């Protein structure tokens, strides 16, 4: 290479490196933006309602007894059980989980309660805690890449990938523990690799702390810890070396710290009941579904099982490209790295993902979902970041030889940006139970249009709370216990029934000799005329012979 050609090559490399740095910075800024924009736009769905209930310190039983007492309540009255107040403290938050959801561990809810107390009562504030925690994943994955690969470039590319990853952004805007779980997986991974490298008591002590915090955040962290144990055992050739013994002791300390909650789970079991896990599926359907789940690592425009066939067929080629890239990235990292690198990534990917896939295939159910395989998604990002950085920094290649990888990296990040943009403007997404909650927004709009509306319901209070966040202050609610038929108080232009049981509809129709018309799937309306000269008063007076 001549002197002039060498100068030109160096100049081009400098321009190329500057462009790469600029692109990474832009993606990081976009990642921050997508996590913080429109935090209150999407519907506040059932899991988040439970989060707020725990933050408030009330139990579901207390909420049910106090709201279903025969009195008319306002949307503001519902909020008493969604935000902290002076009646309850953090001990009540822990007790609520212990009594009603012992399978859910308390660390996130304790921290979120303090966050809401400090910054105020609103959906934006509650969700902003998860968004803030998710930003800490950027330095977390950077540190992990430095420990695993000893490469800052891989760390920067990994940060850029998770910054606009739809899976990360979606759960960064949800008032649940997933962002904290991701952060603790990263911190425990960094602590483990550093402990293996420096072999000090302090480093192993830090690792044991991350294990305890991880378990107190999400029970599935136990599978991640088991994967880390398999990694250490294989690296140490299954010999009781100093490293393996240190790992076992550190893990034991973390487990002992978590033992009180383990005891609680066995003495007060409250198994989570989720109907979607019982859906019977063929193995072909399971394979297609898992392809969609894994592809959300880079691509997600809101496709769900209820999406149209045209949309599914249109996205199929992109999903196949994403899956092929993931498989090749894993192959490439296994071929190009020592065992201590590729084994760590394989155990991270397999720790939770593999058991769930096997469970789905064996029982032909739907146990696997995106939020459960977040550790696997982290491992995939590490593998893809290594592949891209290796191809882009190859000094032996000319720029034109790097072009395919530049195009591929650009396509991945563009898919992420487009996915996050679409999601940020939506009021309901696939993770908000759209099959059930898609009717909340139109139903609440119909109720809000009435000057003096009353909503009667004997539905579960979680669904009523979802509706309550969308109702205007003028709306009043009468919440009844099945199979009671309430007396309708005077003073309302319109009386609506929300998710009312058949017995409630039939009982009110008979009691007031009126028809009940369905005006939207979850919403019915009592048909009546106003009394002359008394507009806004419900026609049928409360029967004097019937007690309230």
């Amino acid at each position: 290479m001549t002197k002039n050609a060498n100068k030109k090559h160096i100049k081009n490399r400098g321009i190329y490196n500057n462009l790469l740095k600029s692109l990474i910075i832009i993606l990081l800024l976009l990642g921050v933006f997508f996590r913080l924009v429109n935090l209150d736009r999407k519907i506040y769905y059932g899991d988040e309602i439970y989060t707020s209930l725990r933050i408030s310190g009330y139990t579901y039983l207390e909420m049910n007894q106090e709201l279903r007492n025969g009195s008319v309540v306002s949307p503001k009255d519902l909020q008493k059980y969604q935000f902290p107040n002076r009646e309850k403290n953090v001990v009540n938050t822990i007790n609520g989980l212990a009594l009603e959801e012992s399978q859910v561990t308390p660390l996130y809810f304790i921290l979120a309660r303090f966050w809401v107390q400090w910054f105020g009562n609103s959906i934006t504030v509650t969700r902003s805690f998860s968004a803030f925690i998710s930003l800490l994943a950027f330095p977390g994955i950077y540190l992990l890449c430095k420990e695993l690969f000893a490469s800052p470039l891989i760390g920067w590319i990994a940060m850029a990938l998770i910054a606009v990853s739809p899976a990360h952004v979606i759960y960064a805007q949800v008032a649940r523990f997933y962002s904290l779980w991701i952060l603790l997986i990263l911190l425990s991974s960094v602590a483990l690799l550093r402990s293996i490298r420096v072999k000090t008591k302090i480093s192993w002590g830090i690792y044991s702390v991350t294990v305890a915090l991880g378990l107190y955040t999400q029970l599935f962290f136990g599978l991640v810890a088991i994967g880390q144990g398999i990694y250490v055992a294989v690296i140490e050739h299954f010999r009781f070396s100093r490293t393996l013994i240190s790992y076992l002791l550190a893990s034991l300390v973390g487990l002992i710290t978590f033992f009180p909650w383990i005891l609680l789970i066995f003495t007060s079991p409250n198994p989570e009941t989720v109907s979607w896990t019982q859906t019977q599926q063929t193995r072909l359907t399971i394979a297609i579904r898992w392809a969609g789940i894994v592809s959300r690592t880079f691509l997600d425009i809101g496709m769900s099982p209820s999406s149209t066939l045209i949309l599914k067929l249109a996205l199929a080629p992109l999903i196949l490209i994403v899956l092929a890239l993931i498989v090749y990235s894993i192959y490439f990292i296994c071929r190009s790295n020592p065992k201590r690198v590729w084994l760590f990534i394989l155990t991270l990917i397999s720790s939770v993902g593999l058991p769930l896939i096997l469970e789905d295939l064996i029982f032909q159910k739907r146990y696997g979902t995106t939020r459960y395989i977040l550790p696997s998604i982290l491992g995939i990002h590490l593998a893809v970041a290594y592949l891209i950085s290796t191809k882009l920094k190859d000094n032996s290649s000319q720029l034109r030889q790097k072009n395919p990888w530049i195009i591929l990296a650009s396509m991945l990040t563009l898919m992420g940006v487009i996915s996050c943009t679409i999601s940020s403007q939506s009021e309901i997404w696939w993770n908000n139970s759209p099959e059930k909650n898609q009717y909340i927004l139109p139903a609440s709009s119909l109720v809000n249009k009435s000057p003096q509306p009353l909503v009667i319901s004997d539905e579960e209070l979680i669904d009523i709370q979802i509706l309550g966040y969308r109702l205007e202050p003028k709306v009043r609610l009468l919440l009844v216990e099945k199979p009671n038929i309430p007396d309708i108080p005077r003073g309302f232009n319109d009386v609506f029934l929300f998710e009312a049981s058949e017995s409630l509809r039939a009982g009110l129709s008979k009691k007031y000799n009126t028809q009940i018309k369905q005006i939207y799937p979850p919403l019915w309306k009592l048909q009546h005329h106003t009394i002359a000269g008394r507009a806004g008063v419900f026609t049928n007076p409360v029967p004097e012979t019937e007690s309230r």
Side-chain angles (χ1 to χ4, degrees), residues 2 63 147 151 276 291 369 373 382 406 421 445 454 481 498:
T2 64
M63 178 175 67
E147 281 291 341
S151 170
W276 54 263
T369 186
I373 66 160
L382 290 172
I406 294 173
T421 300
S445 178
L454 174 68
E481 197 79 57
F498 172 72

Side-chain angles (χ1 to χ4, degrees), residues 190-200 203-205 207 243:
V190 173
L192 176 66
L193 294 175
R194 189 174 187 279
S195 298
I196 293 173
R197 177 169 58 85
V198 301
K199 304 181 189 302
T200 63
S203 63
W204 284 112
Y207 174 71
T243 298

Side-chain angles (χ1 to χ4, degrees), residues 198-211:
V198 301
K199 304 181 189 302
T200 63
K201 292 180 179 179
I202 294 177
S203 63
W204 284 112
I206 293 172
Y207 174 71
S208 68
V209 171
T210 63
V211 170

Side-chain angles (χ1 to χ4, degrees), residues 33 47 49 53 63 74 115 150 200 231 301 338 372 403 406 426 434 463 465:
F33 172 77
D47 285 353
I49 296 293
L53 178 62
M63 178 175 67
S74 67
W115 180 274
T200 63
Y231 171 76
I301 62 169
Y372 291 159
N403 281 342
I406 294 173
S426 302
D463 294 326
Q465 289 280 15

